Amino acid sequence: MKSYWVLIHHFDLALKDDEVPFGTAEQLGLVGFAKLQVGEYQNSPVFLVQLNEQAVENLQNFTMVNLRSQIARPAELAHLLHRAVSLNHFLNTHKFCGKCGAHTELANNEIAVHCPDCQHRSYPTISPSIIVAVRRGRQILLANHLRHKGTIYTTLAGFVEAGEAIETTVQREVWEESGLKIKNIRYFGSQPWAFPNSLMLGFLADYDSGEITLQEEEIFDAKWFDCDQPLPELPPEGTIALELIKETLKICREEG
């Protein structure tokens, strides 16, 4: 049966002719590789195959690319790629039981790892994070993070802390990174982000008060940009960050 094959080594994928490999195991030279079904795409199974260094070297007619380069794929396929990479990370980091230390086994009835000694079962971890675009009249707040120093300007983001409501995280992250207070927080959408296991929850918000004060250990620069003026380099297509920016600019022009 023809299937899609997500061949993964860390955060890299093996493509064939710049596409996710599609065909039978025999056609693609994958006979003997262990596989795990992670979903379906276009009515065909999608299998995760974990690659080690030797397997990567032995692959014929495949090209290894980073997951980040694939975010502009159709959303359904991109989400499956993120799912596969996240599960690959989970399996690689849960080879031993976190309770008793014994070797774990893949559960036979669900995607989880099971300890045959103490019966403890572990499930894939999802780390929720927020990403938020802030508007002030006809302006949008954009920040240049240290990891993109001098290049991309984007929205603010951060991880949800234990015992914290999502809305509190949005307010806290904006305050910590920019020194600004916000209001009118509303949900926009989400995007899986497998680096290694995040789920990004996107929000729109309006400026309330304060002056920009940078969190210098994370933010190199942050500014208000007018919606009808030239913008700096923005995140790539396929990212929820760019979608948030586009939506905010639209609101700026319509309501500002």
Side-chain angles (χ1 to χ4, degrees):
M1 181 178 181
K2 287 188 175 182
S3 306
Y4 288 92
W5 300 82
V6 188
L7 313 175
I8 301 175
H9 182 244
H10 298 308
F11 296 104
D12 292 338
L13 313 171
L15 300 184
K16 191 174 181 64
D17 299 324
D18 201 35
E19 298 293 339
V20 177
F22 179 72
T24 65
E26 291 77 11
Q27 290 172 335
L28 297 171
L30 300 175
V31 175
F33 282 76
K35 62 184 182 181
L36 173 66
Q37 185 169 352
V38 297
E40 291 188 356
Y41 182 63
Q42 297 183 341
N43 298 317
S44 297
V46 178
F47 289 111
L48 160 64
V49 175
Q50 295 182 284
L51 302 177
N52 56 28
E53 297 283 354
Q54 188 61 52
V56 171
E57 292 180 4
N58 292 338
L59 282 179
Q60 299 293 321
N61 303 316
F62 290 88
T63 302
M64 300 300 297
V65 300
N66 190 269
L67 176 62
R68 289 180 184 272
S69 69
Q70 303 303 300
I71 57 177
R73 296 272 182 185
E76 183 182 359
L77 178 58
H79 291 175
L80 281 167
L81 296 181
H82 279 270
R83 173 174 169 79
V85 170
S86 286
L87 291 175
N88 176 66
H89 176 79
F90 166 72
L91 295 173
N92 283 336
T93 55
H94 288 76
K95 295 179 180 180
F96 297 92
C97 176
K99 186 175 181 181
C100 74
H103 280 278
T104 58
E105 300 173 348
L106 187 64
N108 57 16
N109 60 343
E110 58 184 345
I111 296 181
V113 293
H114 176 77
C115 177
D117 287 9
C118 73
Q119 308 307 309
H120 179 67
R121 184 164 290 205
S122 296
Y123 294 87
T125 300
I126 299 174
S127 300
S129 60
I130 65 90
I131 182 167
V132 55
V134 180
R135 177 180 75 99
R136 185 179 68 176
R138 292 178 59 82
Q139 295 179 317
I140 182 172
L141 177 68
L142 295 175
N144 180 221
H145 294 72
L146 287 178
R147 64 182 179 275
H148 297 139
K149 185 175 179 180
T151 57
I152 293 173
Y153 276 72
T154 184
T155 51
L156 301 180
F159 284 99
V160 180
E161 295 183 354
E164 189 174 53
I166 297 293
E167 295 81 2
T168 302
T169 306
V170 176
Q171 293 172 321
R172 175 181 57 78
E173 285 292 342
V174 173
W175 170 256
E176 289 179 352
E177 296 188 354
S178 71
L180 302 177
K181 292 186 178 181
I182 56 174
K183 61 184 179 181
N184 192 23
I185 299 169
R186 60 262 192 215
Y187 178 71
F188 175 78
S190 64
Q191 181 177 43
W193 196 248
F195 298 103
N197 52 17
S198 296
L199 175 62
M200 302 183 72
L201 306 172
F203 293 85
L204 301 170
D206 295 333
Y207 167 81
D208 185 27
S209 63
E211 298 295 331
I212 294 175
T213 304
L214 301 181
Q215 185 181 31
E216 295 182 353
E217 59 269 28
E218 291 191 25
I219 308 295
F220 176 69
D221 186 33
K223 297 176 182 176
W224 292 107
F225 290 88
D226 293 336
C227 65
D228 54 359
Q229 296 296 319
L231 295 173
E233 181 181 354
L234 299 177
E237 290 288 345
T239 60
I240 191 172
L242 183 61
E243 293 306 310
L244 284 166
I245 292 170
K246 288 180 177 179
E247 180 65 19
T248 300
L249 293 173
K250 178 183 175 184
I251 296 172
C252 285
R253 296 180 181 115
E254 292 176 348
E255 302 181 12

